[in-house]
Amino acid sequence: MNNLMSGKNVVVMGVANERSLAWGITKSLHAAGANLIFTYRKERSFQKLSALLFEAEITPLLVVSCDVSDDASIENAFLEIKQKVGKIHGLVHSVAFAEKDELHGEYVDTSREGYLLAQNASAYSLVAVAREAKKIMTDGGSIVTQSYLGAERVVKNYNVMGVAKAALEASVRYLAEDLGKYNIRVNAVSSGPIRTLSAKGVSGFNDILGTIAEKAPLRRNVDQSEVGDATLFLLSSLSRGITGEVLHVDAGYHIMG
Ligand code: N5H
């Protein structure tokens, strides 16, 4: 327990189950005394989230529905947050989506529809959400999104998501410039592979984890608690001089040739 976030209102988007990066982030934020607001898209996620919050004895300020690929849904969600909570100090964007069919084989075969869907849900969503969050971050604030090495390098099968994460990381930089004048910082965490719902059904995921354990400087994989603590750092005043950054939480794997 620390008091890094006491009195701070933070919106967390993207808890689907106990393995979600957003759940690791929630635990770190809760331990730091943050007041938490959650958004969900699927009814199933709402039920999971409610059960997790109950078990962890976390009382949220608010839980609202938000489909990040729908502007009206985002506007409604942030209007409700404004009305019920007032201002916010932090936002966690931990959502992404691509069609399963686009996540294997060759990138050259990506369909126009699949490309646009991945960009819409995984990259443009940060821009749309930042625009609404800015309106209620009246004391300044911090926005943190989640990325992956496939944004910078070709990682087998990541394909359309790699290109979406590249757009996401570039958006972090452009948003950091736009929002900096309001003392709002925008950063990303690029975590190593972690077994989440998104990783479900990925063939060869064990091999990917094995490669990291063998080659990363720390000779191991990372977990949700490490992503949670790094995200907490970026949301807290400890990182007040940092914006437009992509912080790798990957046991050092990205430095290896
Ligand atoms: C190189 C890899 C493995 C291959 C690529 C995995 C890409 C995962 C990201 C996307 C977001 C996963 C996704 O959209 C899955 C959906 O098609 C199907 N799943 C769902 O609909 C579930 C139910 C919902 C909850 O999921 C979502 N996203 O809404 C990358 C891995 C080594 C690392 C990794 C897994 C990265 C990442 O971006 O998550």
Side-chain angles (χ1 to χ4, degrees):
M1 182 71 184
N2 58 68
N3 289 320
L4 274 175
M5 298 298 288
S6 68
K8 306 287 184 198
N9 301 334
V10 182
V11 177
V12 178
M13 320 184 85
V15 178
N17 66 18
E18 67 284 359
R19 288 185 163 177
S20 296
L21 299 187
W23 184 246
I25 295 164
T26 296
K27 288 197 280 187
S28 294
L29 286 171
H30 176 68
N35 304 316
L36 298 169
I37 298 139
F38 295 89
T39 73
Y40 66 93
R41 180 171 64 101
K42 294 182 178 167
E43 188 55 34
R44 175 94 191 101
S45 301
F46 173 69
Q47 282 164 11
K48 263 274 166 203
L49 173 64
S50 304
L52 287 171
L53 290 171
F54 180 78
E55 279 166 36
E57 298 184 21
I58 297 172
T59 309
L61 281 181
L62 186 65
V63 182
V64 289
S65 147
C66 183
D67 177 351
V68 297
S69 57
D70 177 352
D71 288 333
S73 171
I74 297 173
E75 280 166 30
N76 286 337
F78 279 85
L79 193 64
E80 192 176 337
I81 294 168
K82 184 186 175 167
Q83 284 164 349
K84 300 208 171 129
V85 177
K87 59 191 170 194
I88 62 169
H89 308 89
L91 174 80
V92 175
H93 173 277
S94 186
V95 292
F97 187 83
E99 285 296 351
K100 268 221 136 20
D101 279 357
E102 308 282 6
L103 299 170
H104 55 82
E106 296 193 348
Y107 174 66
V108 72
D109 292 325
T110 303
S111 68
R112 188 180 300 273
E113 204 188 355
Y115 183 94
L116 293 173
L117 178 69
Q119 286 284 341
N120 190 19
S122 315
Y124 184 75
S125 60
L126 177 69
V127 185
V129 156
R131 190 163 55 241
E132 293 308 310
K134 166 184 173 245
K135 297 177 186 165
I136 54 172
M137 278 189 170
T138 46
D139 291 345
S142 171
I143 298 174
V144 182
T145 187
Q146 302 297 320
S147 194
Y148 176 61
L149 187 64
E152 308 162 58
R153 297 195 206 158
V154 175
V155 176
K156 195 172 180 321
N157 295 328
Y158 203 56
N159 298 1
V160 75
M161 272 310 300
V163 176
K165 292 296 194 190
L168 180 73
E169 293 185 6
S171 293
V172 162
R173 294 184 282 273
Y174 280 89
L175 291 170
E177 159 57 10
D178 289 347
L179 304 189
K181 49 181 161 317
Y182 309 109
N183 195 29
I184 299 170
R185 300 181 294 107
V186 187
N187 294 288
V189 164
S190 182
S191 87
I194 296 178
R195 196 179 292 283
T196 62
L197 199 52
S198 280
K200 211 178 161 187
V202 172
S203 60
F205 197 74
N206 281 336
D207 296 341
I208 297 171
L209 293 179
T211 304
I212 307 291
E214 191 184 315
K215 300 216 168 116
L218 295 179
R219 306 296 195 280
R220 64 171 178 83
N221 283 281
V222 294
D223 66 17
Q224 289 88 338
S225 76
E226 292 166 317
V227 172
D229 286 352
T231 302
L232 163 63
F233 163 71
L234 289 174
L235 288 167
S236 80
S237 66
L238 288 179
S239 62
R240 61 197 174 277
I242 302 175
T243 194
E245 183 70 293
V246 179
L247 179 60
H248 293 83
V249 180
D250 65 347
Y253 182 73
H254 73 285
I255 69 170
M256 302 306 293

